């Protein structure tokens, strides 16, 4: 209020009008400021509108094709002022009419910018609707009648449909209870790597005794496709924290995930692809957090390559058509998530067997006639994904090259295991016969046998000796099976036990496995502060790196000096004349090829391999084209340097000739000046100071 003077108001209007031409983001705030100050400073708004209108008319009448950013700033500023009712609507419509009268070049961009800023406001206002509708129709008719660039046509369509969007049926938002909205907010918005503990505490506070809330929370935990893909492991961690308190929730979530994976294989609709990937990723993370056993993972893996799959080209199945490769991606996602933990014990042998059948399925897809090199090549991303997955789980594994090799390996493996199973069945039958004979002997002995059995039971209770009856053996075998499954997950297949436990690499059944639990970390306030500061620092670093422009120079690797003689023989830069003539003869015969030397490293030693690539290959063609382009560019640069050098020499020569022909200027006043004559000898003191007697 102290600075509300006439001069200061003019300075403020000038400052607002002089906003930078590229700062479109400031225009709405400047307009809001003018609208707020208008009641107490009415001349501020009028001066600003007058300046904008005068500048607009000057640019339109000048008809030059420069200063497009300034023109767009003016029309956008006017549009923002119109929406705040600072600039009259009639002024904006008059400006739009002037632009439509000469609808070309910069006028098209200015008209579209104005419509994108305030077109919808003018179209929806009752007092300006009719006139705006007419101007929009005129603009679309001019677009149809004129031959414009594709860029201008797109701008006109965007401006028209922004001002007058097509009528669509409004989507009805589903109304949910507040508790349901809160659960969705916790799981789908707040859940992240940093907030897992906070979300877990809030989820444990829910009324799990209420069937409705428990059902909806379980449903949201199962619908993992609504969670961000990078936060799926957080959902598995959250479920692992809830499971010790509500075991039925974990069971229902795991059942729901497995059912959704099976349903996706039965439906096989592309719109559910992201949902299927999320479910498979979720299942792998649940194994990592010890929520499922390894048997569930292997059953899912085998289901993906066997359920509804036909290995006969003539009998395709709708569940897995020949052109569909999505199941390969699902298997790779599951192996990338938890496959690295199957590296010891019985799980290692199971994964090796599965990888054999997986390669057979992949090579069958690769060998189908629908994928050929001419019409529709096999997708390169699927090949790279397959190689990366196998390198991750089995770095030393050698892939089969053909489908026949994979089939032969699978047949050999099945034959080997059939023999083992047959021997196992024979042993089981022999043991059963022996048990039947023992039972017959016991029946013949009568009461004496019963007395011996009672004594044996007493001995088993006192000294640890147990009988070998059929019922006791069945109970012991069932308990051993449960313990074996639990120990298998705890000792050989879990990520934590693999890292800290001492299990045999071959997975002998007789060895004892030691389980070392990971110590629990007590989270304190200082840790949370440190993590928040660390995340902030990482985000700042990532943003700073994204703003830098990194340009990787495409330079060839310098050839080592110790192999220059070999390089000359291979035909690389520096080859002799005989090799060049031989290459020219090959080019005439049509059998030319490109010679390369491949440098690899094995340990600390470099290995060099030379090979030839036919010129018909795409790589060789691209390489030759790049060499020719570089050669032309060098020649062009060389010619430019020579021309510049010649022009510079010519200018120096002309300047030398001009300096020789130019006469030096003479100073005519130099001789008129009287030279000072310095007195010789000692100075006369009487002449300077006068005679003392006088």
């Amino acid at each position: 209020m102290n600075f509300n003077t006439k001069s200061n108001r003019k300075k403020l209007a000038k400052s607002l009008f002089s906003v930078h031409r590229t700062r479109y983001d400031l225009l709405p705030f400047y307009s809001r400021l003018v609208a707020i100050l208008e009641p107490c400073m009415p001349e501020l708004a009028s001066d600003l509108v007058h300046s904008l209108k005068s500048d607009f008319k000057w640019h339109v009448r000048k008809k030059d094709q420069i200063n497009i950013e300034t023109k767009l700033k003016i029309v956008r500023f006017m549009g923002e002022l119109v929406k705040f009712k600072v600039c009259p609507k009639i002024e904006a419509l008059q400006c739009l009419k002037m632009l439509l009268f000469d609808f070309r070049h910069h006028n098209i961009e200015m008209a579209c910018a104005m419509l994108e800023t305030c077109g919808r406001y003018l179209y929806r206002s009752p007092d300006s609707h009719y006139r705006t509708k007419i101007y929009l129709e005129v603009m679309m008719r001019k677009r149809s009648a004129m031959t414009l660039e594709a860029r201008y046509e797109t701008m006109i369509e965007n401006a028209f449909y922004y001002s007058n969007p097509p009528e669509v049926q409004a989507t009805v938002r589903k109304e949910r209870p507040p508790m349901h909205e809160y659960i969705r907010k916790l799981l789908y918005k707040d859940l992240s790597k940093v907030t897992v503990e906070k979300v877990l505490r809030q989820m444990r506070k829910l009324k799990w005794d209420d069937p409705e809330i428990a059902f909806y929370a379980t449903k949201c935990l199962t619908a993992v496709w609504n969670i961000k893909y990078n936060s799926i492991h957080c959902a598995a961690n959250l479920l692992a924290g809830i499971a010790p308190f509500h075991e039925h929730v974990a069971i229902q979530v795991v059942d729901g995930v497995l059912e959704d994976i099976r349903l996706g294989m039965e439906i096989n609709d592309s719109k559910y692809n992201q949902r299927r990937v999320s479910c498979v990723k979720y299942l792998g993370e649940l194994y990592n957090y010890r929520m499922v056993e390894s048997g569930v993972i292997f059953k899912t893996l085998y289901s993906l390559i066997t359920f509804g799959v036909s290995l006969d080209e003539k009998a395709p199945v709708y569940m897995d058509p020949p052109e569909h490769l999505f199941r390969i991606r699902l298997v790779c996602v599951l192996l990338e998530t938890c496959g690295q933990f199957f590296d010891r014990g019985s799980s290692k042998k199971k994964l090796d067997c599965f990888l054999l059948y997986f390669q057979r399925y992949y090579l069958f897809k690769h060998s189908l006639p629908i994928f050929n090199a001419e019409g529709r090549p096999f997708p390169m991303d699927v090949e790279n994904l397959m190689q990366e997955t196998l390198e991750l789980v089995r770095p030393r594994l050698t892939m089969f090259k053909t489908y026949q090799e994979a089939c032969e390996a699978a047949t050999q493996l099945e034959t080997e295991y059939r023999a083992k199973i047959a021997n196992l069945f024979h042993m089981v039958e022999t043991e059963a016969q022996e048990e039947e004979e023992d039972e017959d002997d016991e029946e013949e002995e009568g009461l004496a046998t019963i007395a011996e059995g009672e004594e044996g039971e007493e001995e088993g209770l006192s000294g640890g000796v147990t009988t070998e009856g059929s019922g006791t053996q069945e109970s012991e075998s069932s308990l051993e099976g449960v313990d074996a499954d639990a120990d298998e997950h705890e000792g050989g297949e879990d990520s934590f036990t693999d890292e800290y436990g001492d299990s045999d690499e071959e997975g002998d059944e007789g060895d004892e496995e030691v389980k070392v639990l990971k110590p629990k970390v007590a989270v304190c306030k200082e840790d949370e502060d440190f993590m928040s500061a660390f995340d902030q620092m990482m985000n700042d670093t990532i943003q700073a790196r994204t703003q830098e422009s990194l340009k990787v120079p495409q330079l060839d690797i310098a050839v080592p000096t110790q192999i220059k003689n070999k390089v000359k023989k291979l035909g690389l830069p520096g080859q002799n004349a005989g090799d060049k003539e031989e290459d020219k003869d090959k080019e005439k015969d049509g059998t030319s090829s490109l010679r390369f030397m491949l440098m690899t490293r094995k340990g600390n030693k470099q290995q060099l391999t030379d090979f030839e690539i036919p010129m018909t290959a795409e790589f060789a063609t691209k390489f030759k084209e790049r060499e020719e382009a570089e050669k032309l560019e060098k020649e062009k640069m060389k010619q430019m340097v020579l021309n510049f050098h010649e022009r510079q020499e010519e200018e120096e020569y002309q300047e030398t000739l001009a300096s020789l022909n130019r006469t030096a200027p003479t100073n005519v006043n130099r001789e008129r000046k009287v030279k000072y004559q310095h007195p010789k000898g000692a100075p006369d003191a009487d002449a300077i100071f006068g005679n003392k007697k006088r």
Side-chain angles (χ1 to χ4, degrees):
M1 299 303 295
N2 296 332
F3 294 95
N4 189 6
T5 61
K6 186 175 181 180
S7 60
N8 288 339
R9 288 194 292 269
K10 288 185 177 181
K11 290 181 182 179
L12 179 59
K14 187 176 180 180
S15 300
L16 294 175
F17 175 74
S18 303
V19 63
H20 196 268
R21 63 181 184 277
T22 59
R23 294 301 305 271
Y24 299 148
D25 56 322
L26 295 179
L27 301 180
F29 301 101
Y30 281 11
S31 303
R32 182 180 293 275
L33 176 63
V34 174
I36 293 172
L37 297 177
E38 186 182 11
C40 57
M41 301 179 184
E43 62 271 18
L44 174 64
S46 59
D47 292 346
L48 182 59
V49 172
H50 179 71
S51 301
L52 290 172
K53 187 177 178 181
S54 301
D55 207 358
F56 172 80
K57 290 182 178 180
W58 183 80
H59 280 295
V60 171
R61 289 171 182 172
K62 194 174 181 182
K63 297 182 180 180
D64 57 347
Q65 301 304 312
I66 58 176
N67 301 327
I68 180 61
E69 293 178 345
T70 304
K71 295 177 181 179
L72 294 179
K73 181 202 73 172
I74 293 171
V75 295
R76 287 183 181 275
F77 207 166
M78 292 182 66
E80 295 293 344
L81 291 174
V82 167
K83 289 192 292 186
F84 282 100
K85 298 182 180 181
V86 176
C87 179
K89 301 176 186 176
I90 190 67
E91 298 289 346
L93 293 174
Q94 187 68 23
C95 295
L96 183 59
K97 181 181 178 181
M98 294 174 62
L99 294 173
L100 291 176
F101 182 76
D102 187 15
F103 198 59
R104 58 180 180 176
H105 302 304
H106 286 183
N107 290 355
I108 297 177
E109 298 188 25
M110 294 171 68
C112 294
M114 178 171 284
L115 289 175
E116 288 177 358
T117 306
C118 63
R120 185 176 298 181
Y121 174 75
L122 295 174
Y123 187 83
R124 297 293 176 88
S125 299
D127 54 344
S128 60
H129 169 74
Y130 182 71
R131 192 170 176 180
T132 307
K133 181 179 179 182
I134 293 176
Y135 288 158
L136 290 175
E137 293 176 356
V138 171
M139 183 180 67
M140 295 304 292
R141 285 201 300 268
K142 282 181 174 286
R143 171 188 171 276
S144 302
M146 299 171 63
T147 303
L148 301 174
E149 298 180 7
R151 180 172 65 93
Y152 288 145
E153 292 183 355
T154 305
M155 292 174 61
I156 293 171
E157 287 184 358
N158 292 341
F160 177 80
Y161 287 113
Y162 177 82
S163 303
N164 184 17
E167 296 182 0
V168 294
Q169 186 177 3
T171 57
V172 180
R173 184 180 178 184
K174 188 176 181 180
E175 294 292 338
R176 298 185 180 91
M179 183 55 68
H180 292 187
E181 293 288 349
Y182 179 66
I183 294 173
R184 294 176 65 89
K185 175 183 176 297
L186 288 177
L187 296 179
Y188 301 157
K189 293 183 180 180
D190 297 345
L191 184 61
S192 63
K193 186 177 180 180
V194 183
T195 61
V196 173
E197 295 296 332
K198 296 180 180 178
V199 174
L200 177 59
R201 286 196 294 267
Q202 297 300 322
M203 291 294 293
R204 286 178 55 189
K205 292 179 182 179
L206 297 178
K207 296 181 180 179
W208 292 97
D209 297 335
D210 188 352
E212 183 181 358
I213 296 177
F215 172 77
Y216 192 78
T218 306
K219 179 182 176 182
C220 292
L221 286 171
T222 307
V224 70
W225 51 88
N226 294 326
I227 302 175
K228 296 178 182 179
Y229 187 77
N230 295 331
S231 301
I232 290 179
H233 70 283
C234 301
N237 189 6
L238 180 66
L239 185 63
I242 297 174
F245 305 95
H246 307 283
E247 186 177 358
H248 64 282
V249 176
I251 296 173
Q252 292 175 3
V253 170
V254 172
D255 289 344
V257 171
L258 294 175
E259 184 67 24
D260 199 273
I261 294 174
R262 183 61 175 259
L263 187 62
M265 290 188 288
E266 293 178 357
I267 296 177
N268 192 21
D269 194 348
S270 58
K271 69 179 181 180
Y272 297 119
N273 285 352
Q274 185 61 37
R275 175 173 176 171
R276 296 172 67 184
V277 172
S278 301
C279 288
V280 170
K281 174 81 172 177
Y282 193 31
L283 182 62
E285 294 293 348
L286 289 175
Y287 173 78
N288 294 342
Y289 284 96
R290 307 177 64 176
M291 299 300 296
V292 296
E293 300 290 340
S294 63
V296 177
I297 302 297
F298 282 107
K299 286 180 181 179
T300 305
L301 289 172
Y302 278 107
S303 298
L304 290 172
I305 63 173
T306 57
F307 179 72
V309 175
S310 174
L311 297 181
D312 187 3
E313 299 178 6
K314 300 179 181 179
V317 183
Y318 74 95
M319 292 185 184
D320 187 33
E323 68 276 6
H324 282 212
L325 305 174
F326 194 71
R327 292 198 181 190
I328 298 176
R329 188 177 300 275
L330 294 178
V331 173
C332 292
V333 169
L334 187 54
L335 290 178
E336 288 176 358
T337 306
C338 61
Q340 63 269 24
F341 300 123
F342 301 142
D343 58 348
R344 63 185 67 183
S346 59
S347 60
K348 179 180 180 181
K349 298 179 181 179
K350 292 180 182 179
L351 184 59
D352 292 338
C353 295
F354 171 75
L355 291 179
L356 191 149
Y357 288 101
F358 182 43
Q359 291 184 69
R360 185 181 69 173
Y361 175 76
Y362 168 77
L363 293 173
F364 169 73
K365 290 283 188 178
H366 198 290
S367 63
L368 290 175
I370 194 173
F371 299 111
N372 49 41
E374 297 178 357
R376 184 181 180 183
F378 195 81
M380 187 178 296
D381 58 337
V382 179
E383 294 182 357
N384 296 336
L385 181 63
M386 181 73 178
Q387 294 177 1
E388 292 173 359
T389 304
L390 293 182
E391 289 178 1
L392 178 64
V393 296
R394 291 292 182 269
R396 299 180 181 180
L397 180 65
T398 303
M399 286 187 62
F400 298 109
K401 296 181 179 179
T402 60
Y403 175 63
Q404 288 73 17
E405 293 181 3
C407 291
E408 292 176 0
T411 305
Q412 182 179 359
L413 181 66
E414 291 173 358
T415 304
E416 177 183 353
Y417 275 93
R418 282 196 184 98
K420 292 182 179 180
I421 293 172
N423 295 334
L424 183 61
F425 282 161
H426 180 69
M427 294 172 59
V428 171
E429 291 177 356
T430 305
E431 292 178 357
Q433 292 178 0
E434 292 178 356
E435 290 176 359
E436 290 178 357
E437 293 177 357
D438 294 340
E439 290 177 358
D440 295 339
D441 295 339
E442 290 176 358
E443 290 177 356
E444 291 177 358
E445 292 177 1
L447 297 175
T449 306
I450 296 174
E452 291 177 359
E454 293 175 354
E455 292 176 359
E457 291 177 358
E458 292 176 358
E459 292 177 357
L461 294 173
S462 60
V465 181
T466 58
T467 59
E468 295 182 358
S470 59
T472 308
Q473 185 176 1
E474 290 177 359
S475 61
E476 289 177 356
S477 62
S478 61
L479 292 175
E480 287 175 1
V482 175
D483 295 339
D485 291 339
D487 294 338
E488 181 185 1
H489 186 272
E490 294 176 356
E493 298 171 6
D494 187 70
S495 58
F496 300 105
T497 312
D498 290 345
E499 186 175 356
Y500 300 101
D502 299 331
S503 60
D504 189 7
E505 185 176 0
E506 298 298 326
D508 297 335
E509 296 179 356
D511 296 340
E512 296 181 357
E513 297 176 352
V514 180
K515 176 182 176 183
V516 181
L517 295 178
K518 187 176 180 180
K520 294 185 179 180
V521 180
V523 181
C524 58
K525 185 178 180 181
E526 289 76 7
D527 294 339
E528 295 179 356
D529 296 340
F530 172 76
M531 289 302 299
S532 61
F534 181 74
D535 293 338
Q536 181 66 25
M537 182 186 69
M538 290 296 296
N539 293 332
D540 296 342
T541 306
I542 292 171
Q543 292 179 0
R545 291 290 296 172
T546 53
Q547 295 176 359
E548 297 180 0
S549 59
L550 301 178
K551 185 177 181 182
V552 181
Q554 296 181 354
L555 300 176
D556 295 333
I557 300 175
V559 181
T561 56
Q562 65 270 19
I563 57 169
K564 284 186 177 180
N565 297 329
K566 191 172 182 180
V567 168
K568 294 180 180 180
K569 296 180 182 180
L570 293 175
L572 293 171
Q575 64 182 356
N576 52 24
D579 295 336
K580 292 181 179 178
E581 293 177 358
E582 183 179 354
D583 293 341
K584 291 180 180 179
D585 296 338
K586 288 184 178 181
E587 289 179 0
K588 292 179 181 179
D589 298 339
T591 60
S592 60
S593 59
L594 192 63
R595 298 180 179 180
F596 272 86
M597 176 176 289
L598 178 65
M599 182 185 298
T600 58
R601 181 182 294 275
K602 186 176 183 181
N604 294 327
K605 295 183 180 180
Q606 292 181 352
Q607 294 183 353
L608 303 172
T609 307
D610 53 338
F611 60 92
E612 295 184 359
I613 299 178
M615 293 303 297
T616 57
E618 182 180 0
F619 176 77
T621 306
K622 295 291 184 181
F623 185 80
K624 281 293 183 182
E625 290 178 358
R626 194 186 73 175
E627 282 190 344
E628 293 177 359
E630 291 178 354
K631 185 176 179 182
L632 291 175
E633 186 177 358
K634 289 182 180 179
E635 291 292 337
K636 184 178 179 181
M637 186 62 65
K638 182 179 179 182
Q639 189 64 30
M640 289 175 62
V641 173
L642 290 176
N643 294 340
F644 177 75
H645 185 65
E646 292 176 359
R647 193 184 308 111
Q648 189 175 8
E649 288 183 350
E650 183 67 23
E651 291 177 358
E652 292 178 356
Y653 178 70
Q654 294 295 338
E655 186 177 357
T656 304
L657 291 178
S659 63
L660 292 175
N661 296 332
R662 189 185 306 117
T663 58
T666 58
N667 188 4
V668 295
N669 298 324
R670 184 169 58 87
E671 299 298 334
R672 296 179 185 179
K673 185 178 181 181
V674 179
K675 293 184 178 180
Y676 173 74
Q677 299 293 335
H678 193 277
K680 296 182 180 180
D684 188 4
D686 294 338
I688 298 173
F689 298 105
N691 193 356
K692 188 174 183 182
K693 293 179 180 181
R694 187 182 308 173

